[in-house]
Amino acid sequence: MDEHKSLRDTKLYVDLEKFQTNIHLIRKLIGDRTRIMAVLKANAYGHGLTELVKPAVLAGVSYIGVATLAEAITVRECDESVPILILGYTPEHLFDAVVENNITQTIFDLDSAKKLDQVSSMKNRKTKVHIKVDTGLHRLGFSDMNQSLEDISAINKMKNLNIEGIFSHLALTDDESNEVQFSRFNNFVQALKERGCDFKIKHLADSIATVDYPKYRLDMVRVGALIYGVRGFHKGNVEVELISSLKTKIAQIHQISKGEGVSYDYTWKAERSSIIGTIPIGYGDGIPRNLSNKGYASINGWKCPYVGLINMDYAMIDITEVPGIAKTYKDKDVIIYDDSDSTMDISDISKITGTNKNDILCRITPRVERVYF
């Protein structure tokens, strides 16, 4: 978005060059034989789906992963040919759109496969599917039982479906449970192979497993957090960088006396004469409300604590220590997060608020303007 067309001071800045560099670093880590799926679900983890499709494709990803049919169609409108996998559930009555838009559908039960095969036949198409196997996460997927083997064998014989891939998802609890799931997946794939089912693409690894467990990379890795520069690995390393920063400006300042309160319920009261800055960002923009009276924003490297309850549209910060701020506040950037020194980053915010880093990114709502550079 052009700065001169901006309608708010509150913006999420997204560095597309860093985004592509992160993908190149992942490619260097995993080698040329393993495909990369860029997971762009949840509005590309809050960064903007339509704006990140082309950079991802140009960076050489083999697949785009999404969560919903609506996301898949948005990607298809951006690129006519890139393979797109809906990683989860699509209602059967919407299978027409899956077929018409050349989208790969995840299948985890026989009835859905029959319906998709029927719709594909009516449209004289052959639709690619990936089989989801439940190896222990217990969310979606065929369980590794004899009936599942029979069902998938039946799907493999359907004339209008092409079983391109098979995958599962790790719970990532510990090394031992990861190995149990990995073994279950391999045994399931082998049992299917003995029944005449072969798969071009086998995939298991998300961002964490891609870095920490090289043997889990198989034919393709599904990288979400990693391409946005969010680090969650513990054993390996790849020098990805955070691609976004969230900034705003101060709307107004208040000089308050010792003992005065700020915001609803006066959960914070000044222990000294203070300068309070009101910033136009709140939980309606995605800032966690339980960041109230915890953590800080930053101005010119100065840490400015959040004070009082965060509102839907505003938060208040203590700017007393920032030199000359009373005269210059209108010109200063207030950094909510980035990855520079003296600022909070995604990891800091997630720890303080008791959630994970992906949750913080996905919270950023559409009313926060995105600026791409």
Side-chain angles (χ1 to χ4, degrees), residues 106-351:
T106 290
I107 291 294
F108 48 85
D109 65 73
L110 181 58
D111 288 342
S112 293
K114 290 178 178 178
K115 179 63 176 179
L116 185 57
D117 181 60
Q118 179 185 14
V119 172
S120 300
S121 177
M122 291 172 59
K123 295 182 178 295
N124 197 28
R125 301 277 189 93
K126 194 159 188 174
T127 303
K128 287 192 295 185
V129 299
H130 283 214
I131 299 296
K132 178 74 179 286
V133 180
D134 176 19
T135 56
L137 189 63
H138 300 319
R139 187 172 61 185
L140 295 175
F142 286 96
S143 57
D144 49 349
M145 299 184 300
N146 289 333
Q147 185 58 55
S148 295
L149 297 173
E150 294 292 337
D151 290 348
I152 296 169
S153 296
I155 295 169
N156 191 48
K157 297 174 183 177
M158 294 179 183
K159 294 182 179 180
N160 292 89
L161 297 185
N162 171 19
I163 302 182
E164 179 189 49
I166 187 168
F167 71 105
S168 189
H169 202 298
L170 297 168
L172 292 170
T173 302
D174 51 46
D175 289 352
E176 183 179 0
S177 62
N178 290 341
E179 279 296 305
V180 169
Q181 286 191 260
F182 182 57
S183 178
R184 285 176 179 169
F185 181 70
N186 285 335
N187 291 340
F188 198 63
V189 170
Q190 180 60 36
L192 286 167
K193 187 175 182 179
E194 292 171 0
R195 292 167 178 259
C197 304
D198 208 355
F199 307 95
K200 180 181 178 182
I201 305 175
K202 298 176 286 295
H203 48 111
L204 182 68
D206 66 353
S207 289
I208 294 173
T210 294
V211 181
D212 284 351
Y213 303 96
K215 72 177 183 179
Y216 296 169
R217 293 171 188 164
L218 305 178
D219 301 308
M220 182 165 68
V221 295
R222 307 185 301 265
V223 282
L226 205 58
I227 58 178
Y228 309 109
V230 177
R231 303 184 182 199
F233 44 82
H234 303 287
K235 297 182 178 183
N237 186 53
V238 57
E239 294 296 327
V240 294
E241 294 185 63
L242 189 66
I243 72 168
S244 61
S245 59
L246 183 58
K247 302 178 183 180
T248 189
K249 301 279 189 181
I250 295 175
Q252 188 178 19
I253 64 172
H254 293 272
Q255 306 272 356
I256 68 172
S257 301
K258 180 179 178 180
E260 288 192 278
V262 170
S263 193
Y264 297 111
D265 299 329
Y266 288 167
T267 60
W268 181 90
K269 292 184 178 181
E271 296 181 353
R272 48 139 164 76
S273 295
S274 304
I275 305 174
I276 304 301
T278 300
I279 53 177
I281 187 170
Y283 62 79
D285 300 293
I287 300 300
R289 191 171 185 264
N290 59 344
L291 198 60
S292 299
N293 298 311
K294 303 172 185 175
Y296 58 89
S298 300
I299 301 175
N300 285 357
W302 291 85
K303 298 178 180 180
C304 305
Y306 290 104
V307 295
L309 292 177
I310 292 174
N311 307 166
M312 183 180 290
D313 308 308
Y314 296 98
M316 279 61 72
I317 54 176
D318 186 345
I319 59 175
T320 309
E321 303 298 328
V322 182
I325 191 64
K327 295 182 179 180
T328 61
Y329 72 90
K330 290 185 178 180
D331 301 322
K332 301 298 184 183
D333 281 333
V334 180
I335 301 174
I336 307 303
Y337 79 76
D338 65 10
D339 61 352
S340 60
D341 294 334
S342 301
T343 63
M344 293 193 77
D345 63 17
I346 294 296
S347 179
D348 296 326
I349 296 173
S350 65
K351 287 177 182 177

